[in-house]
Amino acid sequence: MTGSRAISRWGRVLAATAACVVCLCVAVAPATAQDDDAMSVEEFVQKRDRWQILQGATLKVEGRYRGLNDDRLSFTNCDLLFQFADGVKPPPARDKIVQVSGSIETRQGKLTFLVTRIKALPSDAETLADRRGRLTPDNADPWYTLADWASSRGAFYEDADLQSSAAELRRTAIDIEYRQIKVTDIEPLYALARKAQSLGLPPEMRDDLYHDALRRELRASRQRDPRQRDVVLTHILDRLPGSGVPIDEETFLREQPAYEQDPLEVYRGADADKRRILARILYSSACLERIELDADPEGRNGFAIAGRIEQSASEYQSRADEYRQKEIDWQQSHLAELSRDELLQLVERLESRNADGDSARVVEAKSNWLAGQESRFRERGASGLLDFAQEHVALLDDADRAAVLYMELFNDPAAQSTARARLVELGYQFDGTTWTKDLDDSPDPTVEAIRRGIVRKGMTSDQVRAAFGGPPASVVRFAVLGQVCELWVYREHGVAIEFSRRGPEAAMLAVSVSELGP
């Protein structure tokens, strides 16, 4: 299967030109063609160093002349005199290209070309039209050959029309080769782009070919190792002007839809400035696609992904924001799994975002993290509980909760000294039986109830332990309507307390307090 679309802009121009050429060939057919063994003036001049040894050999030379009279002529860009032999008549002055036959001789010490025969030839424009009319649209080689002839002759005679025709012929040849490349081929397309550049064709044609090849390479890379995408991204930066220059979001959003709908045609029809924008859209979109291959599905590396998007595909700022939010959501839903540093990282992110409700979310995150970590702190014994109390002060500035924990620790002989010191630091006094604090400084009724050894609804499991000076005699765990519940029994106090937890990371709260029967 060959390429389904040619380089349309050039194709339309060339088709129209070809039609004109056909008409020209019908209207002005050349009467006489040059002999196959005739050399052009350009070729003849290139053999200047052999003119001496070519004396006496029959030669044929064709080209444009700059001077003509009854007995001689001068070819353009050739300083050798061409002298007519007896009986040779000059062609009509309207014929500007002639072919002469004869030989080089030495006359009066100078080399002279003795012309024994002369004939008029069609003009270069007529020759070009005739030769071009015989070319077929499925073989590029003859087009290149004719282009080389027009280019060389145009340069020799400084003929801008011929040189322009040479470029046009080469564009047609490139277009023929492009149509013959399979839609899945990549390297032949790159090679054709390099060829267009080496032939001096307009950079727009080279970029058309590179753009198509890059999109093909990007499409093929999706079936390979993700690292292959990095190679394609490098190729885009190297080969498409403008691809490495970020554009503003408004321009990006305006131009992207049409480009994505028909990228090849939109790119071919764009001017140089717009092509730079489209190249950036291609690079930025491909870059985003590559970055997202590394994104964790649950969002746990959202901030890292967002940073890469902002650095390499800044036009997708909203997508970067989404990834940041995704990691925040993940951290908030996995608080129990976070280390202390990760918790502080989450807090910093919420505080720096400064969105509505984030202050409350910060407090909630710290509280839930502490609730989820309590069992780990308690597993470490007295030292862990001391650290747990200190975390309430450090993270939540919750001296009351810390005091409750210190009071619980005070009942442990191994930690009593430290607990006493911490309670004194918080303004508490011990009267030999209970710890007290001026209510003006500590108006919390829960603290006062704990101090008096009273348990109330709404207390946390820690506060109940602190009020009764230790753990319960027995614990029964059960579930009610999807909530985890526990029944604590303090036989020595004649009390049973029912706790309920509303979420996996929420604290256990007392929902009922009842006396035990006899």
Side-chain angles (χ1 to χ4, degrees), residues 328-340 342-344 346-347 350 361-373 376 505-506:
I328 288 175
D329 292 342
W330 183 89
Q331 288 181 310
Q332 288 181 305
S333 62
H334 293 77
L335 282 169
E337 302 173 24
L338 301 184
S339 66
R340 189 178 192 278
E342 289 170 336
L343 170 69
L344 295 178
L346 171 61
V347 169
L350 289 171
R361 293 187 186 96
V362 167
V363 174
E364 181 182 7
K366 291 178 179 179
S367 299
N368 289 339
W369 182 82
L370 285 169
Q373 297 292 320
R376 299 178 187 177
E505 297 174 5

Side-chain angles (χ1 to χ4, degrees), residues 381-383 385 406-419 469:
S383 64
L385 202 54
Y406 291 142
M407 289 177 193
E408 180 182 341
L409 278 167
F410 185 73
N411 295 318
D412 183 348
Q416 192 174 77
S417 176
T418 303

Side-chain angles (χ1 to χ4, degrees), residues 414-432:
Q416 192 174 77
S417 176
T418 303
R420 179 190 296 273
R422 298 287 175 83
L423 285 165
V424 171
E425 289 175 2
L426 294 176
Y428 286 83
Q429 297 178 353
F430 187 61
D431 61 6

